[in-house]
Amino acid sequence: MAARPIARDPSDILFYIALALLPVDGTLLGYPLPYWTPLAPWFFLAYALSNWRYLRLTLRIYLPFFLFPVLLAAMSVYGWQTIAVHGNAIALSFISLLLGLACLASLDIAFARKHLQIRAALTVVICAYWFAFAVGVAQFIALKLQSDTSLHYFAAMMYRRYIRVRPQFLFAEPSYIGMHLFGILLPLFWLTRDRRFAVLIPVFAAAAIAMGSGTRIIIDSAVALFLWMLSAVNFRNRKATWGFLAGSCAIAAGGLSAVILEPRLNALATHGLLAGDGSMSARIFHMLAPMWSWKHDIRHFVFGWGSGNISNAVRDGYTGARRWFDSHGGVPNQEIDGLANPPSDTFTMSAYSSFITEFGILMFALLVVMILIHISRHRAWNRMTVCWLTLTAYLYIQFESYAFYAIWLLIFTAAFSTYRKEKGPSEK
């Protein structure tokens, strides 16, 4: 068979631009979506639209997922009639869904329809994340030297500014490092066994931890490392099994050491999740307030408050959630206080709490069933898929954008499981 082409027509440049911009999700150049400002999704959308002739073939494979937003809109009518209609928040919600579907369509068009070269795409992704890593190193140096000029430059280009405290690379938040490393790069390593990812991922993770970029990357790294070992070990081999047990003990020991030595983790361990760290307290309360509304409004819990109405659920649940939060030793801050009267475009920092609040537990259960049926229909179940699905589900607990690439990459790959059998980046 002839080698796959790097590009078939000028529109493929849009796809490679999208791949190059994957780690650039926190700059002022991007349009603000819930808690990030990505650029790549817009190029995925442009690529899918410019290759509209292929969309009919894409829809054959993923039709339930493309029809799902229509069902979500229909389900939202109940919430819009009984709660409120917030046009801007509705637009943000459905635009995010559209951009996520554009990512799915672009992957299918590029690799399944146009048969573009996978190695070329991987090279672009690897170079993009090495560049993001270099930016983080430069930020760390600027922090150590307290270079006002450099820090001002980095702060000026970011939409949400953490640079004067810790490196954030090109991400909207330092806590998003794990989403990229383990939601995108690790699955790509699983699928292709490209050794370049085997260098990039641990170097990026270790350096982010060493540079003090945040506590979540420590926890994410431990979870991802355990799931990677679980996916790779041959339990029929006694030595490998003992190696897995030893590795698991090492991860536990490393986690315990991190809790003792890392100040924020130590504070969380000694003072609890509600009082040990202001950022963690705020994240928990962002999820807790709408979840309190679930408890006291079963009908809307089942059918949803309606797209764009998260702020109403937060406002309704605030008093009860705040009472529980305070009685359990929670330490309030300005961000938590502000949720008493949240803006209409409020989101929850968790894909689960946001989606269930907007569209109801019924639609969430349907989405889970759709994904499981999709994987089963394409006979893509194996130990790696289970570990990948578990890791993805974990990562979205503290990340809410419907447009983020991790779940769409998983859905795409399930339909083309032959890609994960590749032993290396070479292609026919």
Side-chain angles (χ1 to χ4, degrees):
M1 295 177 61
R4 289 175 176 244
I6 294 178
R8 288 191 179 275
D9 57 66
S11 71
D12 294 327
I13 296 175
L14 294 171
F15 182 70
Y16 288 112
I17 292 175
L19 296 181
L21 293 174
L22 285 177
V24 187
D25 70 13
T27 68
L28 288 172
L29 297 175
Y31 183 80
L33 295 174
Y35 289 98
W36 69 328
T37 56
L39 293 169
W42 301 101
F43 285 93
F44 282 133
L45 178 62
Y47 181 69
L49 294 177
S50 64
N51 288 277
W52 59 270
R53 293 179 180 84
Y54 295 97
L55 288 176
R56 175 176 57 86
L57 300 174
T58 300
L59 288 175
R60 287 182 181 178
I61 305 296
Y62 306 101
L63 184 60
F65 295 101
F66 281 87
L67 292 179
F68 194 55
V70 179
L71 184 58
L72 295 179
M75 185 64 74
S76 293
V77 171
Y78 171 70
W80 294 336
Q81 290 181 332
T82 58
I83 301 295
V85 175
H86 301 295
N88 182 56
I90 293 172
L92 288 176
S93 181
F94 280 104
I95 285 174
S96 293
L97 287 168
L98 173 64
L99 293 176
L101 290 170
C103 174
L104 175 61
S106 295
L107 292 171
D108 183 75
I109 291 169
F111 298 124
R113 311 303 158 195
K114 303 178 80 171
H115 303 287
L116 299 188
Q117 189 182 116
I118 294 177
R119 182 171 178 82
L122 296 178
T123 299
V124 172
V125 172
I126 289 168
C127 290
Y129 279 93
W130 275 123
F131 176 76
F133 175 77
V135 171
V137 171
Q139 293 171 345
F140 177 72
I141 294 173
L143 276 170
K144 285 298 181 182
L145 297 178
Q146 284 300 297
S147 173
D148 289 336
T149 301
S150 299
L151 291 174
H152 178 75
Y153 171 79
F154 287 122
M157 73 179 188
M158 305 305 292
Y159 184 74
R160 306 181 71 201
R161 295 158 185 172
Y162 294 82
I163 179 56
R164 295 191 180 276
V165 180
R166 56 189 185 273
Q168 69 181 104
F169 302 88
L170 293 171
F171 307 133
E173 289 193 4
S175 61
Y176 292 177
I177 299 170
M179 290 297 303
H180 286 268
L181 294 187
F182 309 125
I184 301 173
L185 300 186
L186 181 57
L188 290 178
F189 171 71
W190 271 332
L191 295 171
T192 65
R193 302 300 174 184
D194 191 320
R195 294 180 180 179
R196 294 176 295 177
F197 289 107
V199 176
L200 172 60
I201 296 169
V203 169
F204 206 130
I209 293 171
M211 291 189 293
S213 290
T215 57
R216 183 179 172 182
I217 184 57
I218 300 174
I219 301 171
D220 289 354
S221 296
V223 172
L225 180 57
F226 175 78
L227 289 172
W228 171 77
M229 290 195 310
L230 189 61
S231 72
V233 68
N234 178 9
F235 287 104
R236 295 179 181 178
N237 185 303
R238 182 177 296 179
K239 291 184 178 179
T241 302
W242 281 110
F244 171 77
L245 294 174
S248 299
C249 292
I251 293 173
L256 180 60
S257 299
V259 168
I260 296 173
L261 299 175
E262 210 282 333
R264 292 180 67 189
L265 283 177
N266 186 274
L268 288 170
T270 55
H271 300 292
L273 297 178
L274 301 181
D277 181 77
S279 177
M280 177 62 73
S281 299
R283 285 178 177 273
I284 291 175
F285 196 86
H286 267 281
M287 294 184 285
L288 180 64
M291 291 171 71
W292 197 268
S293 295
W294 300 355
K295 178 181 177 182
H296 297 89
D297 192 340
I298 299 300
R299 186 171 297 179
H300 283 104
F301 172 60
V302 174
F303 299 107
W305 271 255
S307 176
N309 288 339
I310 291 176
S311 61
N312 296 85
V314 170
R315 187 180 296 109
D316 293 344
Y318 181 87
T319 301
R322 183 62 183 269
R323 188 183 303 115
W324 182 93
F325 181 83
D326 292 342
S327 66
H328 286 77
V331 176
N333 53 41
Q334 186 176 358
E335 186 173 355
I336 293 175
D337 293 339
L339 291 178
N341 188 29
S344 62
D345 59 352
T346 294
F347 285 80
T348 72
M349 298 188 181
S350 168
Y352 302 103
S353 56
S354 287
F355 190 92
I356 293 172
T357 300
E358 287 193 278
F359 306 114
I361 191 66
L362 189 63
M363 288 296 98
F364 176 74
L366 178 59
L367 176 60
V368 172
V369 170
M370 284 171 53
I371 294 173
L372 297 179
I373 291 176
H374 177 74
I375 297 173
S376 300
R377 185 164 67 92
H378 294 284
R379 300 177 182 177
W381 286 112
N382 55 41
R383 198 195 315 167
M384 188 205 75
T385 301
V386 173
C387 291
W388 184 1
L389 185 61
T390 302
L391 180 59
T392 303
Y394 158 77
L395 290 172
Y396 277 96
I397 292 174
Q398 288 194 54
F399 186 88
E400 69 181 319
S401 177
Y402 309 146
F404 193 73
Y405 326 102
I407 190 63
W408 306 109
L409 176 62
L410 175 61
I411 292 170
F412 163 73
T413 306
F416 294 91
S417 56
T418 51
Y419 288 135
R420 70 181 57 166
K421 297 177 183 178
E422 293 181 358
K423 301 300 183 181
S426 60
E427 298 179 55
K428 296 181 180 179

